[in-house]
Amino acid sequence: MATPAPASKLDPLVSLCKRRGFIFQSSEIYGGINGFWDYGPLGCELKSNIKQSWWKTMVRTREDIVGLDATIIMHPAIWKASGHLDTFSDPMSTCKHCKKLMRADQTWEMLADNEFGAAMTELHAAGAPELGRVTAWCKGRGKGIAPNLAAVRNPDGILAVMGASLAGATFRNFVSLLASDNLVTPVQPCPYCGGELTEPRPFNLMFKTIVGPVEDPANIAYLRPETAQAIFAQFQNVLATSRQSPPFGIAQMGKSFRNEVTPRNYTFRSREFEQMELEFFIRPDEAIELLCGRVTTLADMPDLTTPQDNWGWQVWHTYWVEQRLAWYRSVGLPAASLVPYWQQPAELAHYARACVDIQYAFPFGIQELEGIAARSDFDLTQHQKHSGKSMEVFDEPLKLAAAKLDETARTAFVERVVADWTARGKGADEARAFVAKLLDGRYIPHVIEPSAGVDRMALALLCNAYAEEQVTDDKGKTETRTVLRFSPLVAPIKIAVFPLIKNKPELYAKAREIFGQLQRRWACFWDESGAIGRRYRRMDEAGTPYCLTVDFQTLEDGTVTLRDRDTMQQERLTVPALKEKLDEILLG
Ligand code: GAP
């Protein structure tokens, strides 16, 4: 019996997003373009609410963070300095048979999601070497599903020889052996057709463009693959104009572009997306030691709610992990759905001291929403080296603290720093040059970088909000209600206003008047068509937390009916009482 292709777990949500105007395929009328998505009327409100909430939390309500809005195309030297030109690449393989290109490190993941993978799982689970079943599949269904798998192209030859080696093979080994023409070397199979893949080659993810009218290599520029680098490039300008000094941050939101080899999982991995990034600049730990006598580390079990002058990088990093988790919870992602992953030392980039991925349990697996990295002084140092412009800050209190050291304390400090640096594999001369500047009140700040994606957050909120439930109406009729249970803070529409009927001029005018008042404060939606029950259902699918109905009683006593999306309960209240209630909920 044919195994049906596993339906994407996202299918009902994708269909709702199209039906209600959250997300459309880009350029759909021309067949679409892979990896690009458009946000419709509700989708762009959702994204805007996410961004506003992030900006409010990260910039508006803090005194130590300021904003930046830089260009997407910047001087190409920025990408040389940052390392993106040389190393921002994914391993890419091509199928030798069907010629499809794909990310070599994602082929197993892709297989786990398709019909070929499902068939392999079934055959492997049947207990190798169920050679008869494997042969039957290769001669039958396999021809349609994985026509280029070695065992499908030559079932008798291959399976006769390798039957025994399939016994006890792990799943990957089992599939890799079936893909191997020489019967010995396991081959990573193409998830589309089972064919052999080429060795992975690095593929740079930056989109190239030409600046100006002349198509000359000298005019090549890149669409930014992250917003962060502009923050480093403008560091000195912001420092000089914002009256900030470390510890302080620069935040930026905006489009980024990556020519992803295999965009997948709906909007999760797109080629054009938006980021919300903070670069939080801190003093090096050695400066803290000079200023405060001692650096507070996590071992001291500090209270992480209120930043202190004596915090070292480790405490700042953990502080930002906590802050970011709190933000995700505040806009409606349950704590249990958020999975922080602390990268192991071997996984860290060479300049990073720590990195935590905040992951969300998506229907297609636990995947990254945000990375929070302690990046040392790597980025500013690189830009100083490549631009020839100083990225140092002058720290007056530090210079004063250093001046108070007597000769013995000064020498001991220098030796301690040199010993520490050399123990971490750095040169003694480099360490001495660093300390000399530090004692003069100068250093290149270190950075903690919480870097989040707007589109991934929108997808996580949609996945979290989506629910189907059985409801029974007053007449005992049961139906399926599809509802998006967004937090009111991010819901695209906060309140829908319905006149009970539209052909009663007085009632209609009253409803329009209330609608006009509410619209000045919140995103509202007017709906006058169809039965009230149907209007509720439409708003449930849009994720609107409240629906307000103006009826005959409104004309008598000024009260309206407010229906709650989640409880479906109704209450009568006056418009001022309603405004007060919503203010309390929506101020966040
Ligand atoms: N400046 C650091 C940086 O860009 P990243 O982990 O490459 O780090 C940060 O990206 C965040 O940007 C990710 O956690 C994700 O939310 C978002 N992001 C990255 N690539 C993406 C893509 N192809 N599609 C959608 N979002 C993406």
Side-chain angles (χ1 to χ4, degrees), residues 226 258 260 268 270 273 275 277 368-369 449 451 453:
E226 61 171 28
R258 295 182 189 178
E260 299 284 359
F268 180 82
S270 308
F273 54 95
Q275 288 185 307
E277 298 200 287
E368 177 188 325
L369 279 178
E449 179 192 68
S451 171

Side-chain angles (χ1 to χ4, degrees), residues 246-295:
F248 83 105
I250 305 176
Q252 172 163 229
M253 306 187 293
K255 290 271 187 178
S256 292
F257 303 80
R258 295 182 189 178
N259 198 1
E260 299 284 359
V261 179
T262 32
R264 60 199 305 257
N265 287 331
Y266 199 22
T267 57
F268 180 82
R269 183 167 290 110
S270 308
R271 289 180 165 141
E272 177 175 340
F273 54 95
E274 278 188 272
Q275 288 185 307
M276 306 179 286
E277 298 200 287
L278 167 69
E279 303 303 325
F280 196 79
F281 299 98
I282 55 174
R283 290 173 164 131
D285 278 8
E286 294 85 347
I288 304 288
E289 193 185 329
L290 274 179
L291 277 160
C292 306
R294 179 164 184 278
V295 179

Side-chain angles (χ1 to χ4, degrees), residues 470-548:
Q470 297 300 308
V471 287
T472 309
D473 67 14
D474 300 344
K475 293 172 194 131
K477 194 178 148 219
T478 301
E479 60 171 11
T480 303
R481 173 172 97 119
T482 303
V483 56
L484 289 177
R485 296 186 193 278
F486 288 128
S487 151
L489 291 174
V490 292
I493 302 166
K494 310 299 183 202
I495 183 158
V497 179
F498 310 153
L500 182 65
I501 49 173
K502 59 181 174 186
N503 52 7
K504 182 89 180 160
E506 223 184 320
L507 189 149
Y508 192 87
K510 185 71 188 165
R512 287 299 302 176
E513 180 198 319
I514 293 173
F515 177 64
Q517 286 174 21
L518 299 179
Q519 216 185 11
R520 265 181 259 137
R521 298 161 98 103
W522 303 294
C524 295
F525 187 80
W526 173 262
D527 192 353
E528 60 183 43
S529 63
I532 291 287
R534 292 184 75 84
R535 290 186 237 173
Y536 284 157
R537 289 289 174 272
R538 288 196 286 263
M539 284 298 107
D540 288 344
E541 288 202 339
T544 305
Y546 301 105
C547 293
L548 176 161

Side-chain angles (χ1 to χ4, degrees), residues 5 34 62 123 136 182 212 234 261 384 390 458 517:
N34 198 9
R62 297 189 64 116
L123 288 174
N182 73 10
Q234 291 292 6
V261 179
Q384 173 167 293
S390 168
Q517 286 174 21

